[in-house]
């Protein structure tokens, strides 16, 4: 059915979740390049800004940002005859873009790898929670259509970056052998995986490095009894260190380097909505970040990598996080 929808479309919108990450941007741009190669007009739309370290990707300069280009976005969505929703399981993860997308009369396709997808807002759903990234879902689809080995260099680049980002450079949620079969086939297209890694992880500004030292020395609270750590960042601190968009990427993973740490939570004040605290959760082993995020922070995600948000002050957010950690004491103290 999906190949038929694509075949009979001419103007396609591809959209993804708020605060788009590497998988969201990489997967969306893969679809854009694939559709353009098929002769379609394809536009990627994101709810808000995305990290600077992703802006080198082929096609990234054409992405429309809803918070900055609302009228243009509405016109493009109104003209679309197909909408592909990528890397999210609930329409509310489109944030301010949700109303515009849901008002479109075009058929919608969902491509995702998160748990418990909402099955009511898209006509066609491809959901594989066992897969490491939305990009792996796309590889799976292309392989089934016997097209994976004929994709372009640009598509292969975006797919590899997306899977690399959503697995922490293949350090978690990446034990399934098929992932590396797909990577091998992507490498056959001539991509430079080492350069992709450097473009993402070795582009820190001076502000990022100084901020990292500050956050670890001053703002990291270690709850030794719970094998957990909390890091906080306010907008005032962000301004002090001249933090660029994307400079906080990966901060949440650092406490997991401490021997015995099972859970790390990063509380980051939203730059566009002061008073909203964004939470990133990372864990090792069997600790269910997704359950904690859903139960306490109106969020979700994967077992070892999830997110959520709170509308409160930073001090109140810290207390909410400590209460959530205490609620899982039996798992964290063991």
């Amino acid at each position: 059915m999906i190949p038929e929808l694509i075949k009979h479309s001419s103007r396609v919108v591809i959209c993804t979740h708020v605060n788009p990450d590497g998988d969201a941007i990489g997967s969306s741009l893969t679809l854009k390049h694939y559709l353009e190669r098929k002769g379609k007009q394809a536009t990627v739309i994101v709810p808000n800004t995305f990290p600077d370290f992703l802006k080198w990707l082929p096609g990234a300069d054409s992405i429309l940002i809803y918070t900055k280009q609302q009228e243009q976005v509405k016109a493009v969505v109104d003209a679309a005859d197909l909408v592909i929703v990528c890397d999210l399981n609930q329409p509310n993860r489109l944030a301010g873009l949700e109303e515009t997308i849901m008002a479109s009369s075009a058929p919608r396709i969902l491509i995702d790898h998160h748990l418990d997808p909402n099955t009511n807002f898209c006509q066609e759903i491809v959901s594989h929670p066992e897969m490491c990234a939305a990009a792996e879902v796309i590889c799976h689809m292309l392989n089934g259509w016997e097209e994976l080995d004929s994709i372009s260099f640009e598509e292969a680049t975006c797919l590899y970056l997306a899977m690399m980002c959503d697995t922490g450079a293949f350090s978690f949620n990446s034990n399934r052998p098929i992932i590396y079969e797909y990577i091998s086939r992507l490498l056959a297209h001539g991509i430079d995986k080492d350069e992709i890694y450097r473009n993402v992880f070795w582009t820190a500004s001076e502000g990022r490095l100084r901020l990292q030292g500050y956050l670890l020395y001053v703002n990291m609270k270690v709850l030794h009894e719970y094998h957990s750590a909390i890091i906080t960042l306010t907008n005032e601190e962000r301004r002090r260190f001249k933090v660029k968009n994307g400079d906080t990427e990966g901060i949440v993973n650092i406490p997991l380097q401490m021997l015995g740490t099972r859970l790390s939570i990063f509380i980051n004040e939203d730059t566009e909505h002061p008073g909203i605290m964004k939470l990133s959760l990372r864990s090792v082993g069997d600790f269910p970040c997704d359950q904690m995020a859903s139960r306490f922070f109106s969020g979700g995600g994967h077992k070892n990598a999830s997110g959520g948000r709170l509308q409160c002050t930073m001090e109140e957010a810290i207390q909410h996080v400590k209460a959530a950690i205490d609620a899982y004491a039996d798992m964290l103290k063991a």
Side-chain angles (χ1 to χ4, degrees):
M1 184 62 177
I2 291 177
E4 284 298 307
L5 286 173
I6 292 174
K7 179 180 178 181
H8 293 103
S9 67
S10 59
R11 297 177 302 278
V12 185
V13 160
I14 304 149
C15 58
T16 189
H17 59 76
V18 67
N19 303 320
D21 54 12
D23 188 25
I25 297 297
S27 295
S28 297
L29 287 173
T30 297
L31 294 169
K32 171 184 171 64
H33 293 301
Y34 172 80
L35 291 163
E36 289 179 342
R37 191 161 52 82
K38 297 291 183 179
K40 314 298 180 182
Q41 179 181 318
T43 305
V44 175
I45 301 172
V46 295
N48 59 350
T49 55
F50 57 96
D52 289 351
F53 62 77
L54 298 174
K55 292 181 179 177
W56 64 271
L57 278 169
D61 57 351
S62 69
I63 293 175
L64 297 182
I65 300 172
Y66 176 75
T67 53
K68 296 182 177 181
Q69 300 162 291
Q70 291 189 23
E71 292 303 316
Q72 188 176 353
V73 164
K74 187 177 186 307
V76 170
V77 173
D78 286 347
D81 51 19
L82 180 63
V83 174
I84 301 178
V85 183
C86 186
D87 195 35
L88 60 89
N89 59 350
Q90 301 290 335
N92 61 8
R93 296 211 65 212
L94 291 166
L97 181 58
E98 179 184 1
E99 183 177 352
T100 300
I101 292 297
M102 297 303 287
S104 170
S105 60
R108 290 186 290 272
I109 299 169
L110 175 65
I111 299 174
D112 186 43
H113 70 124
H114 293 91
L115 295 170
D116 304 320
N118 183 324
T119 59
N120 297 319
F121 78 104
C122 291
Q123 287 73 34
E124 292 291 326
I125 298 172
V126 184
S127 175
H128 289 280
E130 76 280 6
M131 295 188 179
C132 71
E136 187 190 347
V137 180
I138 295 172
C139 285
H140 174 76
M141 292 169 59
L142 292 171
N143 188 51
W145 300 340
E146 299 185 349
E147 294 191 66
L148 185 58
D149 295 321
S150 60
I151 62 174
S152 67
F153 175 85
E154 290 77 14
E155 291 162 63
T157 297
C158 293
L159 282 170
Y160 181 84
L161 175 138
M163 285 193 285
M164 180 190 74
C165 286
D166 236 29
T167 59
F170 307 102
S171 64
F172 56 83
N173 195 28
S174 54
N175 279 330
R176 296 166 46 256
I178 188 66
I179 296 169
Y180 301 95
E181 177 187 329
Y182 288 148
I183 289 170
S184 176
R185 292 163 72 179
L186 296 178
L187 289 171
H189 291 278
I191 66 172
D192 186 337
K193 73 173 186 63
D194 299 336
E195 182 180 21
I196 294 171
Y197 181 93
R198 291 193 300 271
N199 285 345
V200 172
F201 295 109
W202 290 4
T203 58
S205 64
E206 178 183 349
R208 151 77 189 211
L209 293 179
R210 294 189 182 280
L211 172 71
Q212 181 175 311
Y214 170 82
L215 293 181
L216 295 178
Y217 188 72
V218 178
N219 283 16
M220 182 173 71
K221 300 170 178 62
V222 181
L223 284 65
H224 297 282
E225 183 182 5
Y226 295 90
H227 302 100
S228 301
I230 304 168
I231 298 179
T232 61
L233 175 64
T234 65
N235 283 338
E236 189 279 326
E237 291 168 324
R238 186 186 296 270
R239 288 188 291 271
R240 190 193 318 171
F241 287 93
K242 299 183 171 73
V243 176
K244 297 191 306 180
N245 186 29
D247 274 350
T248 60
E249 191 76 16
I251 293 289
V252 66
N253 296 315
I254 298 175
L256 295 178
Q257 298 174 25
M258 288 189 296
L259 183 64
T261 304
R262 297 175 186 167
L263 174 66
S264 173
I265 300 180
F266 179 37
I267 311 173
N268 181 17
E269 187 174 4
D270 194 317
T271 57
E272 296 177 343
H273 303 95
I276 297 292
M277 304 297 153
K278 299 186 294 185
L279 289 89
S280 297
L281 294 78
R282 299 292 185 271
S283 68
V284 296
D286 292 328
F287 186 81
C289 281
D290 53 342
Q291 291 182 22
M292 177 181 277
S294 175
R295 180 177 170 187
F296 288 93
F297 311 126
S298 302
H302 305 286
K303 182 174 71 175
N304 297 125
S306 297
R309 55 180 44 212
L310 293 167
Q311 185 170 359
C312 59
T313 66
M314 180 61 76
E315 291 72 22
E316 290 169 336
I318 293 169
Q319 294 309 311
H320 279 297
V321 167
K322 287 182 176 179
I325 290 172
D326 188 62
Y328 284 86
D330 290 346
M331 295 186 69
L332 291 167
K333 288 183 177 181

